[in-house]
Every structure is written in C-alpha cells, then in structure tokens.
C-alpha cells in the first residue's frame, strides 16, 4: 500500500509546504520532557505551558524559526563543592518544538511558579474574492 500525500489529490494545489511541516513535526524528537499543556484561551488564542521547575529565565530561550516555535532549556552545572548523597533532580537540557500555522503569532512568555507560559494568537484571515478576467486568445 502506498503512502498518501497531499500531492496525491489533484485539487489540492500549493500544499507542499504543509506536508513538509507535518513531516518535520513528526521527526522533531520531542521526548516527554518537559511535560506541557496546550489550552485554547479564546476563539483566537492559545497558551502553551511547560513545567520547567529548576530553570530560571536565563536558562531558557524561545525562538520562532521557519514557522516553528522552539523552546530550549539549558541549566548550568552549579554543583561546585557540593556533595550529593542522592541526585534526583537532574540539570538536563531540552528542546520542544511546536509547528505554527499561518497567521499564528507568538505573544508574551511568563514564568510563574516553575511554569513557563507562552501565549499565541491567531489572526482572522480576510475573505478575499477575486474576479479573473478571461482574455481572447
């Protein structure tokens, strides 16, 4: 059985980039860390919340790269002179990626009680009606 792609449908024109985004999202390597929630806060807005206990604002980087929201965390190893009898809280780095649709913009990011909140908003697309004149050939 062959894999169906958006190119398999002749009436779906110009969706090649969407297909590439879906493939990239599937290969993004998002593991289970850190855990996150995505909630719809209104008809046109969303909030992504990541549990980033132990990270401070300086340890985190939020970027938008080629329609992907990328959130990275890297903690410095601050155990100079400290002797751990048990170390269950690892200083581990992470990278979370979220593919953004057209018209979705990243708003503000807020740290609160070990949670990183990133707000997104979606602009309403304008309805465009275009009439195409037919020329004699």
């Amino acid at each position: 059985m062959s894999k169906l792609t958006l190119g398999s449908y002749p009436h779906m024109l110009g969706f090649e980039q969407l297909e590439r985004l879906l493939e990239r999202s599937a290969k993004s390597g998002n593991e289970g860390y850190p855990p996150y929630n995505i909630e719809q806060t209104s008809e046109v807005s969303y909030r992504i919340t990541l549990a980033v206990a132990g990270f401070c604002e300086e340890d985190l980087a939020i970027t938008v790269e080629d329609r992907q929201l990328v959130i990275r965390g890297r903690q410095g190893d601050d155990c100079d002179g400290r002797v751990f009898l048990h170390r269950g809280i690892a200083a581990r780095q992470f990278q979370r990626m979220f593919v953004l649709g057209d018209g979705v913009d990243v708003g503000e990011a807020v740290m609160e009680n070990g949670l990183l909140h990133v707000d997104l908003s979606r602009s309403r697309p304008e309805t465009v009606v275009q009439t195409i004149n037919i020329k004699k050939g």
Side-chain angles (χ1 to χ4, degrees), residues 101-122:
D102 288 337
V104 176
D105 296 311
V106 179
E108 68 177 359
V110 177
M111 282 280 284
E112 177 182 47
N113 300 323
L115 298 174
L116 174 64
H117 303 288
V118 180
D119 292 323
L120 309 170
S121 62
R122 180 172 35 97

Side-chain angles (χ1 to χ4, degrees), residues 9-129:
Y9 299 95
H11 57 278
M12 303 281 291
L13 302 174
F15 286 91
E16 296 82 11
Q17 183 173 352
L18 176 62
E19 191 164 10
R20 284 192 298 272
L21 281 173
L22 290 171
E23 288 176 7
R24 188 171 48 191
S25 177
K27 296 176 185 176
S28 67
N30 280 340
E31 297 174 5
Y33 180 78
Y36 65 94
N37 293 335
I38 301 175
E39 60 185 296
Q40 187 167 1
T41 53
S42 78
E43 190 176 312
V44 294
S45 62
Y46 310 94
R47 173 173 269 191
I48 298 172
T49 301
L50 283 83
V52 291
F55 288 85
C56 62
E57 291 87 349
E58 295 80 27
D59 297 332
L60 301 169
I62 303 171
T63 57
V64 176
E65 304 169 11
D66 193 25
R67 301 306 304 157
Q68 285 190 89
L69 170 64
V70 180
I71 303 171
R72 294 180 178 93
R74 170 171 278 161
Q75 291 177 311
D77 196 14
D78 62 348
C79 40
D80 297 334
R82 296 167 66 185
V83 177
F84 290 95
L85 299 178
H86 172 75
R87 186 162 186 181
I89 302 172
R92 99 191 237 199
Q93 62 185 8
F94 70 87
Q95 176 173 295
R96 277 272 181 211
M97 296 193 299
F98 302 91
V99 177
L100 303 175
D102 288 337
V104 176
D105 296 311
V106 179
E108 68 177 359
V110 177
M111 282 280 284
E112 177 182 47
N113 300 323
L115 298 174
L116 174 64
H117 303 288
V118 180
D119 292 323
L120 309 170
S121 62
R122 180 172 35 97
S123 58
R124 294 180 190 260
E126 294 180 21
T127 303
V128 177
V129 176

